[in-house]
Amino acid sequence: MSRVGQDRRGGRPRIVVGFDGSPNSVVALDWALGEAGLRDARVVLCHVHEAGGEEAAWDVLGLGVEHAGRREPRVAVTGALVAGNPARHLVRSAADALLLVVGARGSGGYHGLRLGSVSDQVARHARRAFAVVLGRDQALEGQPDAAD
């Protein structure tokens, strides 16, 4: 049995990041890269797509891995592509991870909501530590902008 947060082969701790290419998922990835650097962990970028869209899904995942390499080259990043229900697969993929990270909202749905359906379901069903990261467009009122 592996220790919590380590991969099944006994390697470095893993942080699983849900990534759909949306601006919020990029912010979540950037946050996870910072955490991975602090914890000497590797990042698994997980893109869950609908059946039939695999080629486009690989493109999105590739862009995420490239972004991560430019943003934090010292952190090992791998990609994982899965078809099906995003929340279910993210929770399952992170069952033995150190941390599961998602953006507050993905690329679909109603943009007036602060929390999307996937992040809501992750918060309800995750069995390990998780983080829901607010995007820049979702900064709380009264909070200073990171660029200020």
Side-chain angles (χ1 to χ4, degrees), residues 32-90:
L33 290 168
E35 286 297 306
L38 292 172
R39 300 168 186 256
D40 192 30
R42 62 188 183 94
V43 169
V44 177
L45 200 56
C46 187
H47 180 58
V48 184
H49 68 96
E50 295 181 21
E54 191 166 325
E55 187 174 328
W58 278 115
D59 291 342
V60 169
L61 190 57
L63 290 172
V65 171
E66 287 175 17
H67 171 84
R70 286 190 308 273
R71 179 79 177 195
E72 190 56 65
R74 296 171 300 190
V75 173
V77 179
T78 57
L81 186 64
V82 182
N85 178 289
R88 182 177 301 130
H89 284 295
L90 289 171

Short mmCIF file of all heavy atoms in Angstrom, two decimals, residues 32-90:
data_model
loop_
_atom_site.label_atom_id
_atom_site.label_comp_id
_atom_site.label_asym_id
_atom_site.label_seq_id
_atom_site.Cartn_x
_atom_site.Cartn_y
_atom_site.Cartn_z
N ALA A 32 -1.35 25.24 -8.20
CA ALA A 32 -0.87 23.89 -7.89
C ALA A 32 0.63 23.76 -8.14
O ALA A 32 1.33 23.06 -7.40
CB ALA A 32 -1.64 22.86 -8.73
N LEU A 33 1.13 24.43 -9.16
CA LEU A 33 2.58 24.40 -9.43
C LEU A 33 3.35 25.00 -8.26
O LEU A 33 4.40 24.49 -7.87
CB LEU A 33 2.90 25.13 -10.73
CG LEU A 33 2.44 24.45 -12.00
CD1 LEU A 33 2.54 25.41 -13.19
CD2 LEU A 33 3.24 23.18 -12.26
N GLY A 34 2.83 26.09 -7.70
CA GLY A 34 3.47 26.69 -6.52
C GLY A 34 3.48 25.74 -5.34
O GLY A 34 4.49 25.59 -4.65
N GLU A 35 2.35 25.07 -5.11
CA GLU A 35 2.26 24.08 -4.03
C GLU A 35 3.23 22.92 -4.27
O GLU A 35 3.88 22.45 -3.35
CB GLU A 35 0.84 23.54 -3.89
CG GLU A 35 -0.12 24.52 -3.27
CD GLU A 35 0.26 24.86 -1.83
OE1 GLU A 35 0.43 23.94 -1.00
OE2 GLU A 35 0.37 26.07 -1.55
N ALA A 36 3.30 22.47 -5.51
CA ALA A 36 4.19 21.35 -5.84
C ALA A 36 5.64 21.72 -5.58
O ALA A 36 6.42 20.90 -5.07
CB ALA A 36 4.00 20.93 -7.30
N GLY A 37 6.01 22.95 -5.91
CA GLY A 37 7.37 23.40 -5.63
C GLY A 37 7.68 23.42 -4.15
O GLY A 37 8.78 23.05 -3.72
N LEU A 38 6.72 23.83 -3.34
CA LEU A 38 6.90 23.87 -1.90
C LEU A 38 6.97 22.49 -1.27
O LEU A 38 7.63 22.28 -0.26
CB LEU A 38 5.75 24.65 -1.24
CG LEU A 38 5.69 26.14 -1.53
CD1 LEU A 38 4.38 26.72 -0.97
CD2 LEU A 38 6.89 26.85 -0.95
N ARG A 39 6.27 21.53 -1.85
CA ARG A 39 6.14 20.19 -1.26
C ARG A 39 6.98 19.13 -1.97
O ARG A 39 6.82 17.95 -1.69
CB ARG A 39 4.67 19.78 -1.30
CG ARG A 39 3.77 20.70 -0.52
CD ARG A 39 2.31 20.41 -0.82
NE ARG A 39 1.43 21.36 -0.21
CZ ARG A 39 0.71 21.12 0.87
NH1 ARG A 39 0.78 19.96 1.46
NH2 ARG A 39 -0.08 22.04 1.36
N ASP A 40 7.83 19.55 -2.90
CA ASP A 40 8.61 18.61 -3.70
C ASP A 40 7.72 17.52 -4.29
O ASP A 40 8.00 16.32 -4.20
CB ASP A 40 9.74 17.99 -2.88
CG ASP A 40 10.74 17.25 -3.77
OD1 ASP A 40 10.91 17.65 -4.94
OD2 ASP A 40 11.33 16.26 -3.30
N ALA A 41 6.62 17.96 -4.87
CA ALA A 41 5.65 17.04 -5.45
C ALA A 41 5.65 17.18 -6.97
O ALA A 41 6.17 18.14 -7.52
CB ALA A 41 4.25 17.36 -4.91
N ARG A 42 5.08 16.21 -7.62
CA ARG A 42 4.88 16.30 -9.07
C ARG A 42 3.40 16.59 -9.33
O ARG A 42 2.56 16.39 -8.46
CB ARG A 42 5.32 15.03 -9.77
CG ARG A 42 4.58 13.80 -9.38
CD ARG A 42 5.24 12.55 -9.98
NE ARG A 42 4.49 11.36 -9.66
CZ ARG A 42 3.55 10.84 -10.44
NH1 ARG A 42 3.26 11.39 -11.59
NH2 ARG A 42 2.91 9.75 -10.07
N VAL A 43 3.11 17.10 -10.51
CA VAL A 43 1.75 17.46 -10.87
C VAL A 43 1.25 16.54 -11.96
O VAL A 43 1.96 16.28 -12.94
CB VAL A 43 1.68 18.94 -11.34
CG1 VAL A 43 0.32 19.25 -11.96
CG2 VAL A 43 1.96 19.88 -10.18
N VAL A 44 0.05 16.04 -11.78
CA VAL A 44 -0.64 15.28 -12.83
C VAL A 44 -1.79 16.15 -13.30
O VAL A 44 -2.71 16.46 -12.53
CB VAL A 44 -1.17 13.93 -12.31
CG1 VAL A 44 -1.94 13.21 -13.41
CG2 VAL A 44 -0.02 13.07 -11.81
N LEU A 45 -1.69 16.58 -14.52
CA LEU A 45 -2.71 17.43 -15.14
C LEU A 45 -3.75 16.51 -15.75
O LEU A 45 -3.45 15.75 -16.68
CB LEU A 45 -2.04 18.29 -16.21
CG LEU A 45 -2.74 19.53 -16.67
CD1 LEU A 45 -3.05 20.45 -15.52
CD2 LEU A 45 -1.87 20.25 -17.68
N CYS A 46 -4.96 16.53 -15.22
CA CYS A 46 -6.00 15.59 -15.64
C CYS A 46 -7.08 16.33 -16.42
O CYS A 46 -7.73 17.24 -15.90
CB CYS A 46 -6.59 14.92 -14.40
SG CYS A 46 -7.73 13.59 -14.79
N HIS A 47 -7.25 15.93 -17.66
CA HIS A 47 -8.30 16.51 -18.51
C HIS A 47 -9.34 15.44 -18.78
O HIS A 47 -9.04 14.39 -19.34
CB HIS A 47 -7.71 17.01 -19.83
CG HIS A 47 -8.72 17.62 -20.74
ND1 HIS A 47 -9.50 18.69 -20.37
CD2 HIS A 47 -9.08 17.32 -22.01
CE1 HIS A 47 -10.28 19.02 -21.38
NE2 HIS A 47 -10.05 18.19 -22.38
N VAL A 48 -10.56 15.70 -18.33
CA VAL A 48 -11.66 14.77 -18.54
C VAL A 48 -12.52 15.34 -19.66
O VAL A 48 -12.98 16.48 -19.57
CB VAL A 48 -12.49 14.57 -17.26
CG1 VAL A 48 -13.56 13.52 -17.48
CG2 VAL A 48 -11.59 14.18 -16.09
N HIS A 49 -12.72 14.55 -20.69
CA HIS A 49 -13.45 15.04 -21.86
C HIS A 49 -14.64 14.14 -22.15
O HIS A 49 -14.76 13.04 -21.62
CB HIS A 49 -12.52 15.10 -23.07
CG HIS A 49 -12.09 13.75 -23.55
ND1 HIS A 49 -12.73 13.10 -24.58
CD2 HIS A 49 -11.11 12.92 -23.14
CE1 HIS A 49 -12.14 11.92 -24.78
NE2 HIS A 49 -11.15 11.80 -23.90
N GLU A 50 -15.51 14.65 -23.01
CA GLU A 50 -16.65 13.85 -23.47
C GLU A 50 -16.17 12.88 -24.53
O GLU A 50 -15.25 13.17 -25.29
CB GLU A 50 -17.72 14.75 -24.04
CG GLU A 50 -18.34 15.67 -22.99
CD GLU A 50 -19.42 16.54 -23.58
OE1 GLU A 50 -19.98 16.20 -24.65
OE2 GLU A 50 -19.72 17.57 -22.96
N ALA A 51 -16.80 11.73 -24.59
CA ALA A 51 -16.43 10.72 -25.59
C ALA A 51 -16.55 11.33 -26.99
O ALA A 51 -17.46 12.09 -27.28
CB ALA A 51 -17.33 9.50 -25.45
N GLY A 52 -15.59 10.99 -27.83
CA GLY A 52 -15.61 11.45 -29.21
C GLY A 52 -14.77 12.68 -29.47
O GLY A 52 -14.50 13.01 -30.61
N GLY A 53 -14.33 13.37 -28.45
CA GLY A 53 -13.54 14.58 -28.64
C GLY A 53 -12.09 14.41 -28.25
O GLY A 53 -11.46 15.34 -27.76
N GLU A 54 -11.55 13.23 -28.49
CA GLU A 54 -10.23 12.91 -27.95
C GLU A 54 -9.11 13.75 -28.57
O GLU A 54 -8.20 14.19 -27.86
CB GLU A 54 -9.92 11.43 -28.15
CG GLU A 54 -8.70 10.99 -27.39
CD GLU A 54 -8.59 9.49 -27.30
OE1 GLU A 54 -9.61 8.81 -27.21
OE2 GLU A 54 -7.44 9.02 -27.35
N GLU A 55 -9.16 14.00 -29.87
CA GLU A 55 -8.08 14.77 -30.50
C GLU A 55 -8.00 16.18 -29.93
O GLU A 55 -6.92 16.66 -29.58
CB GLU A 55 -8.28 14.82 -32.01
CG GLU A 55 -7.11 15.45 -32.73
CD GLU A 55 -7.25 15.36 -34.24
OE1 GLU A 55 -7.83 14.38 -34.73
OE2 GLU A 55 -6.76 16.28 -34.91
N ALA A 56 -9.14 16.85 -29.82
CA ALA A 56 -9.16 18.20 -29.24
C ALA A 56 -8.73 18.16 -27.77
O ALA A 56 -8.06 19.06 -27.28
CB ALA A 56 -10.54 18.81 -29.37
N ALA A 57 -9.12 17.09 -27.06
CA ALA A 57 -8.76 16.96 -25.65
C ALA A 57 -7.24 16.84 -25.49
O ALA A 57 -6.66 17.43 -24.57
CB ALA A 57 -9.47 15.76 -25.04
N TRP A 58 -6.59 16.07 -26.37
CA TRP A 58 -5.12 15.96 -26.31
C TRP A 58 -4.48 17.32 -26.54
O TRP A 58 -3.46 17.66 -25.92
CB TRP A 58 -4.60 14.95 -27.33
CG TRP A 58 -4.68 13.54 -26.87
CD1 TRP A 58 -5.44 12.54 -27.41
CD2 TRP A 58 -3.98 12.94 -25.77
NE1 TRP A 58 -5.26 11.37 -26.69
CE2 TRP A 58 -4.38 11.58 -25.69
CE3 TRP A 58 -3.07 13.42 -24.83
CZ2 TRP A 58 -3.88 10.71 -24.72
CZ3 TRP A 58 -2.58 12.55 -23.86
CH2 TRP A 58 -2.99 11.22 -23.83
N ASP A 59 -5.07 18.12 -27.45
CA ASP A 59 -4.53 19.46 -27.71
C ASP A 59 -4.61 20.33 -26.45
O ASP A 59 -3.65 21.01 -26.10
CB ASP A 59 -5.29 20.14 -28.85
CG ASP A 59 -5.02 19.49 -30.20
OD1 ASP A 59 -4.02 18.75 -30.33
OD2 ASP A 59 -5.82 19.72 -31.13
N VAL A 60 -5.76 20.31 -25.77
CA VAL A 60 -5.94 21.08 -24.55
C VAL A 60 -4.93 20.63 -23.49
O VAL A 60 -4.27 21.45 -22.85
CB VAL A 60 -7.39 20.95 -24.02
CG1 VAL A 60 -7.51 21.52 -22.61
CG2 VAL A 60 -8.36 21.64 -24.97
N LEU A 61 -4.82 19.34 -23.32
CA LEU A 61 -3.89 18.80 -22.32
C LEU A 61 -2.45 19.19 -22.66
O LEU A 61 -1.69 19.59 -21.77
CB LEU A 61 -4.04 17.29 -22.26
CG LEU A 61 -3.32 16.57 -21.12
CD1 LEU A 61 -3.76 17.10 -19.77
CD2 LEU A 61 -3.59 15.08 -21.22
N GLY A 62 -2.09 19.10 -23.92
CA GLY A 62 -0.74 19.49 -24.34
C GLY A 62 -0.44 20.94 -24.04
O GLY A 62 0.68 21.28 -23.59
N LEU A 63 -1.40 21.82 -24.28
CA LEU A 63 -1.21 23.24 -23.97
C LEU A 63 -1.01 23.44 -22.47
O LEU A 63 -0.18 24.26 -22.06
CB LEU A 63 -2.41 24.05 -24.46
CG LEU A 63 -2.54 24.18 -25.97
CD1 LEU A 63 -3.87 24.85 -26.34
CD2 LEU A 63 -1.37 24.94 -26.56
N GLY A 64 -1.73 22.69 -21.66
CA GLY A 64 -1.56 22.80 -20.22
C GLY A 64 -0.19 22.35 -19.76
O GLY A 64 0.44 23.00 -18.92
N VAL A 65 0.28 21.24 -20.30
CA VAL A 65 1.60 20.73 -19.93
C VAL A 65 2.69 21.71 -20.37
O VAL A 65 3.64 21.99 -19.63
CB VAL A 65 1.83 19.32 -20.51
CG1 VAL A 65 3.27 18.86 -20.31
CG2 VAL A 65 0.86 18.32 -19.87
N GLU A 66 2.55 22.28 -21.58
CA GLU A 66 3.52 23.27 -22.06
C GLU A 66 3.52 24.50 -21.17
O GLU A 66 4.58 25.03 -20.82
CB GLU A 66 3.20 23.67 -23.49
CG GLU A 66 3.52 22.61 -24.52
CD GLU A 66 3.09 23.01 -25.92
OE1 GLU A 66 2.84 24.22 -26.16
OE2 GLU A 66 2.98 22.12 -26.77
N HIS A 67 2.34 24.98 -20.80
CA HIS A 67 2.23 26.14 -19.92
C HIS A 67 2.95 25.87 -18.59
O HIS A 67 3.70 26.70 -18.09
CB HIS A 67 0.75 26.48 -19.67
CG HIS A 67 0.56 27.52 -18.62
ND1 HIS A 67 0.65 28.87 -18.87
CD2 HIS A 67 0.29 27.39 -17.28
CE1 HIS A 67 0.46 29.53 -17.74
NE2 HIS A 67 0.23 28.66 -16.77
N ALA A 68 2.69 24.70 -18.02
CA ALA A 68 3.31 24.33 -16.75
C ALA A 68 4.83 24.31 -16.85
O ALA A 68 5.52 24.77 -15.95
CB ALA A 68 2.78 22.97 -16.28
N GLY A 69 5.34 23.78 -17.96
CA GLY A 69 6.78 23.72 -18.15
C GLY A 69 7.42 25.09 -18.24
O GLY A 69 8.53 25.30 -17.75
N ARG A 70 6.71 26.03 -18.86
CA ARG A 70 7.22 27.41 -18.93
C ARG A 70 7.10 28.11 -17.58
O ARG A 70 7.97 28.87 -17.18
CB ARG A 70 6.46 28.21 -19.99
CG ARG A 70 6.79 27.87 -21.41
CD ARG A 70 6.19 28.85 -22.40
NE ARG A 70 4.76 29.04 -22.22
CZ ARG A 70 3.80 28.29 -22.77
NH1 ARG A 70 4.13 27.27 -23.53
NH2 ARG A 70 2.53 28.56 -22.55
N ARG A 71 6.01 27.86 -16.89
CA ARG A 71 5.71 28.55 -15.64
C ARG A 71 6.61 28.08 -14.49
O ARG A 71 7.09 28.88 -13.70
CB ARG A 71 4.24 28.34 -15.29
CG ARG A 71 3.75 28.95 -14.04
CD ARG A 71 3.50 30.40 -14.23
NE ARG A 71 2.96 30.94 -12.99
CZ ARG A 71 2.38 32.09 -12.91
NH1 ARG A 71 2.25 32.83 -13.98
NH2 ARG A 71 1.93 32.53 -11.78
N GLU A 72 6.80 26.77 -14.39
CA GLU A 72 7.57 26.20 -13.27
C GLU A 72 8.36 25.00 -13.77
O GLU A 72 7.97 23.85 -13.55
CB GLU A 72 6.63 25.81 -12.14
CG GLU A 72 7.33 25.45 -10.85
CD GLU A 72 8.25 26.53 -10.34
OE1 GLU A 72 7.77 27.61 -9.99
OE2 GLU A 72 9.47 26.27 -10.28
N PRO A 73 9.49 25.25 -14.45
CA PRO A 73 10.23 24.15 -15.08
C PRO A 73 10.82 23.13 -14.10
O PRO A 73 11.14 22.02 -14.51
CB PRO A 73 11.35 24.87 -15.85
CG PRO A 73 11.40 26.24 -15.32
CD PRO A 73 10.08 26.55 -14.70
N ARG A 74 10.93 23.47 -12.83
CA ARG A 74 11.50 22.52 -11.87
C ARG A 74 10.50 21.48 -11.39
O ARG A 74 10.88 20.50 -10.76
CB ARG A 74 12.06 23.28 -10.67
CG ARG A 74 13.23 24.18 -11.04
CD ARG A 74 13.59 25.04 -9.89
NE ARG A 74 12.39 25.85 -9.59
CZ ARG A 74 12.36 26.87 -8.77
NH1 ARG A 74 13.44 27.21 -8.12
NH2 ARG A 74 11.25 27.55 -8.56
N VAL A 75 9.21 21.68 -11.68
CA VAL A 75 8.18 20.74 -11.24
C VAL A 75 7.89 19.77 -12.37
O VAL A 75 7.62 20.17 -13.50
CB VAL A 75 6.89 21.49 -10.83
CG1 VAL A 75 5.76 20.51 -10.55
CG2 VAL A 75 7.15 22.38 -9.62
N ALA A 76 7.95 18.49 -12.06
CA ALA A 76 7.61 17.45 -13.05
C ALA A 76 6.11 17.45 -13.28
O ALA A 76 5.33 17.39 -12.32
CB ALA A 76 8.07 16.08 -12.56
N VAL A 77 5.69 17.53 -14.54
CA VAL A 77 4.28 17.56 -14.89
C VAL A 77 4.00 16.51 -15.95
O VAL A 77 4.71 16.42 -16.95
CB VAL A 77 3.86 18.95 -15.43
CG1 VAL A 77 2.39 18.96 -15.82
CG2 VAL A 77 4.15 20.04 -14.41
N THR A 78 2.98 15.70 -15.70
CA THR A 78 2.53 14.73 -16.69
C THR A 78 1.04 14.97 -16.93
O THR A 78 0.36 15.58 -16.11
CB THR A 78 2.73 13.28 -16.21
OG1 THR A 78 2.06 13.10 -14.96
CG2 THR A 78 4.20 12.95 -16.05
N GLY A 79 0.58 14.48 -18.06
CA GLY A 79 -0.82 14.64 -18.41
C GLY A 79 -1.56 13.32 -18.36
O GLY A 79 -0.98 12.26 -18.56
N ALA A 80 -2.85 13.39 -18.05
CA ALA A 80 -3.72 12.22 -18.05
C ALA A 80 -5.02 12.61 -18.72
O ALA A 80 -5.62 13.63 -18.38
CB ALA A 80 -3.98 11.76 -16.62
N LEU A 81 -5.45 11.80 -19.67
CA LEU A 81 -6.67 12.06 -20.41
C LEU A 81 -7.68 10.96 -20.11
O LEU A 81 -7.35 9.77 -20.21
CB LEU A 81 -6.37 12.10 -21.91
CG LEU A 81 -7.51 12.50 -22.83
CD1 LEU A 81 -7.95 13.93 -22.55
CD2 LEU A 81 -7.07 12.37 -24.27
N VAL A 82 -8.88 11.36 -19.72
CA VAL A 82 -9.93 10.41 -19.35
C VAL A 82 -11.24 10.89 -19.97
O VAL A 82 -11.50 12.09 -20.01
CB VAL A 82 -10.09 10.35 -17.81
CG1 VAL A 82 -11.14 9.34 -17.41
CG2 VAL A 82 -8.77 10.04 -17.13
N ALA A 83 -12.06 9.96 -20.42
CA ALA A 83 -13.38 10.30 -20.95
C ALA A 83 -14.44 9.97 -19.91
O ALA A 83 -14.36 8.95 -19.24
CB ALA A 83 -13.66 9.52 -22.23
N GLY A 84 -15.42 10.85 -19.75
CA GLY A 84 -16.52 10.55 -18.84
C GLY A 84 -16.92 11.73 -17.98
O GLY A 84 -16.75 12.88 -18.36
N ASN A 85 -17.40 11.43 -16.80
CA ASN A 85 -17.87 12.42 -15.84
C ASN A 85 -16.68 13.09 -15.16
O ASN A 85 -15.92 12.43 -14.45
CB ASN A 85 -18.77 11.74 -14.81
CG ASN A 85 -19.26 12.69 -13.75
OD1 ASN A 85 -18.49 13.13 -12.91
ND2 ASN A 85 -20.54 13.01 -13.82
N PRO A 86 -16.50 14.40 -15.35
CA PRO A 86 -15.31 15.07 -14.82
C PRO A 86 -15.14 14.94 -13.30
O PRO A 86 -14.06 14.56 -12.84
CB PRO A 86 -15.50 16.53 -15.22
CG PRO A 86 -16.38 16.47 -16.42
CD PRO A 86 -17.30 15.32 -16.18
N ALA A 87 -16.15 15.26 -12.53
CA ALA A 87 -16.00 15.22 -11.07
C ALA A 87 -15.67 13.81 -10.59
O ALA A 87 -14.77 13.61 -9.77
CB ALA A 87 -17.26 15.73 -10.39
N ARG A 88 -16.37 12.83 -11.11
CA ARG A 88 -16.15 11.44 -10.69
C ARG A 88 -14.72 11.01 -11.00
O ARG A 88 -14.04 10.43 -10.16
CB ARG A 88 -17.13 10.51 -11.40
CG ARG A 88 -16.97 9.06 -10.97
CD ARG A 88 -18.01 8.16 -11.62
NE ARG A 88 -19.35 8.60 -11.28
CZ ARG A 88 -20.33 8.80 -12.17
NH1 ARG A 88 -20.12 8.59 -13.45
NH2 ARG A 88 -21.52 9.21 -11.79
N HIS A 89 -14.24 11.30 -12.21
CA HIS A 89 -12.89 10.87 -12.59
C HIS A 89 -11.81 11.66 -11.84
O HIS A 89 -10.77 11.10 -11.51
CB HIS A 89 -12.70 10.97 -14.09
CG HIS A 89 -13.37 9.86 -14.83
ND1 HIS A 89 -13.00 8.54 -14.70
CD2 HIS A 89 -14.41 9.88 -15.68
CE1 HIS A 89 -13.77 7.79 -15.45
NE2 HIS A 89 -14.65 8.58 -16.06
N LEU A 90 -12.03 12.94 -11.58
CA LEU A 90 -11.04 13.70 -10.84
C LEU A 90 -10.90 13.18 -9.41
O LEU A 90 -9.79 12.99 -8.91
CB LEU A 90 -11.39 15.19 -10.82
CG LEU A 90 -11.23 15.91 -12.15
CD1 LEU A 90 -11.82 17.31 -12.07
CD2 LEU A 90 -9.77 15.96 -12.57
#
